[in-house]
Amino acid sequence: MIKSMTGFGRAEVSDGKRNIVCEIKSVNHRYCDINVRMPRRYSFAEEKVKQTIKEIVNRGKLDVSIMVENVTENDVNIKLNTMVAKQYYDSLRQLSEAVPVDGDKTISLEYLASLPDVLKVVPDVEDEEEIIKAILAPVKEAAGKLDEMRILEGEKLAEDLLSRGGEIKSLVAEIERVAPEVPRSYMEKLRNRIKDLIDGSVEIPEDKIVLEAAIFADKSSIAEELTRLHSHMDQMESIIGETGQPDGKRLDFLVQEMNREANTIGSKANDLGVTELMLKIKAEVEKIREQVQNVE
């Protein structure tokens, strides 16, 4: 089973005091990179949030958004700053005496209370363990939903990878069928070329032609590369079919090896038909490489 690194999960939980919403978005990334956005007053819970997500997600770039709403009156304290209020009052009295204006010059209590920093709503976050527990509840649920989506996307990726792997196997089988004919074709072309050059004036040295063809066959042999390419396809199928958590990095390395074998075959074959088949294989390997970039 393979998982995609892209997905989305959302959960909303209420503990009676606060309503907490968690949203997690993930895209492909080389490592596990988690960015958490949450109210500053709850920043002490950030590390716990990351640890909880890492229990489910191994790789990917994740943006985690945590919103806390519906704070009850038991969750806040109102602080009165009498020193600031007195300074406001004294300054306003001085202003009233220095600048004569018409109308009521009394300074009301309501007006003083409305001035900045006189009354402050201070969040009550003394019980950090309780709040961490409340926050982690939607985080776990959102991470679980994210994982479900990544599994579904992984199933689609697996289908595509196996399909392309099967196509590569078919192309390799076709190359294996035509490859033995390449040296024989080369020998026949060489014999005809010599005939044209000597114009029947001397006997063709058949042993020399056979030797030249043998050297060509040895240099252009792609049997080992085809065997390794077959092996790489089998390994890819094995990794995809593993019941445990597969490693996308292993698949990425495997694709590099596939591409290396394909390049070697293309350079050694010296045959137009084999080259055309190898170009098709390289196209499939490139599509596999693109898909593997998104495997966890």
Side-chain angles (χ1 to χ4, degrees):
M1 178 185 70
I2 65 174
K3 294 182 183 180
S4 168
M5 282 192 281
T6 60
F8 175 78
R10 184 182 190 277
E12 183 173 349
V13 174
S14 177
D15 66 351
K17 292 183 178 180
R18 54 191 75 81
N19 190 49
I20 306 171
V21 178
C22 177
E23 293 182 349
I24 307 176
K25 300 176 184 178
S26 70
V27 294
N28 59 319
H29 194 270
R30 189 174 181 182
Y31 305 107
C32 184
D33 181 17
I34 303 176
N35 177 47
V36 180
R37 290 184 291 109
M38 62 194 303
R40 178 185 264 174
R41 60 179 288 198
Y42 303 120
S43 59
F44 56 81
E46 182 173 334
E47 197 57 37
K48 289 286 187 179
V49 169
K50 290 183 178 180
Q51 290 175 7
T52 299
I53 294 173
K54 285 182 179 179
E55 291 175 0
I56 298 174
V57 177
N58 293 314
R59 264 207 321 158
K61 180 176 176 59
L62 291 88
D63 288 320
V64 183
S65 175
I66 298 174
M67 296 158 281
V68 183
E69 303 170 328
N70 299 333
V71 180
T72 65
E73 62 181 11
N74 294 329
D75 205 28
V76 297
N77 291 320
I78 297 178
K79 300 292 185 180
L80 170 63
N81 194 326
T82 55
M83 183 178 297
V84 171
K86 188 174 186 308
Q87 288 178 354
Y88 274 130
Y89 180 81
D90 292 340
S91 297
L92 289 170
R93 288 298 300 269
Q94 292 177 23
L95 181 63
S96 174
E97 294 171 359
V99 183
V101 293
D102 297 331
D104 187 4
K105 296 183 180 181
T106 59
I107 304 170
S108 68
L109 191 63
E110 291 81 0
Y111 179 70
L112 276 177
S114 68
L115 295 174
D117 298 325
V118 174
L119 294 176
K120 279 188 177 181
V121 177
V122 181
D124 181 12
V125 290
E126 293 180 356
D127 193 347
E128 292 187 358
E129 290 301 320
E130 177 192 348
I131 294 172
I132 289 174
K133 183 178 179 181
I135 290 175
L136 292 186
V139 169
K140 289 179 181 178
E141 186 177 341
K145 291 179 178 179
L146 170 72
D147 194 50
E148 290 174 4
M149 181 176 287
R150 285 158 65 104
I151 289 173
L152 289 174
E153 289 293 322
E155 291 175 355
K156 296 177 183 177
L157 283 173
E159 289 178 8
D160 187 71
L161 292 173
L162 292 173
S163 174
R164 298 192 185 282
E167 178 64 18
I168 290 175
K169 279 189 171 183
S170 297
L171 291 167
V172 169
E174 181 63 17
I175 292 176
E176 288 174 332
R177 186 184 68 80
V178 301
E181 298 298 323
V182 174
R184 285 192 284 268
S185 176
Y186 173 79
M187 186 168 65
E188 188 61 32
K189 288 178 181 178
L190 181 61
R191 182 182 291 110
N192 292 333
R193 186 179 301 172
I194 293 174
K195 281 182 179 179
D196 292 339
L197 289 173
I198 64 177
D199 195 22
S201 58
V202 295
E203 187 178 349
I204 300 174
E206 188 64 26
D207 57 335
K208 298 292 185 182
I209 293 176
V210 173
L211 177 61
E212 181 66 25
I215 294 172
F216 172 83
D218 183 61
K219 288 183 178 179
S220 62
S221 174
I222 54 175
E224 290 185 13
E225 288 78 6
L226 291 173
T227 299
R228 284 195 290 267
L229 200 50
H230 256 305
S231 175
H232 295 333
M233 295 301 106
D234 292 339
Q235 287 181 61
M236 185 179 75
E237 291 178 4
S238 176
I239 292 173
I240 292 173
E242 286 178 359
T243 54
Q245 178 62 46
D247 189 353
K249 293 181 180 179
R250 289 161 61 198
L251 287 173
D252 188 49
F253 174 76
L254 202 56
V255 170
Q256 294 178 40
E257 294 301 305
M258 292 178 196
N259 198 54
R260 182 179 292 111
E261 301 301 339
N263 286 332
T264 303
I265 293 170
S267 64
K268 291 175 65 176
N270 286 316
D271 179 77
L272 182 59
V274 173
T275 300
E276 289 177 351
L277 291 169
M278 189 48 55
L279 288 174
K280 292 181 181 179
I281 289 177
K282 289 194 67 174
E284 293 299 323
V285 170
E286 177 59 24
K287 291 171 184 175
I288 289 175
R289 187 194 67 81
E290 292 174 358
Q291 294 287 48
V292 165
Q293 298 304 308
N294 201 35
V295 175
E296 184 179 61

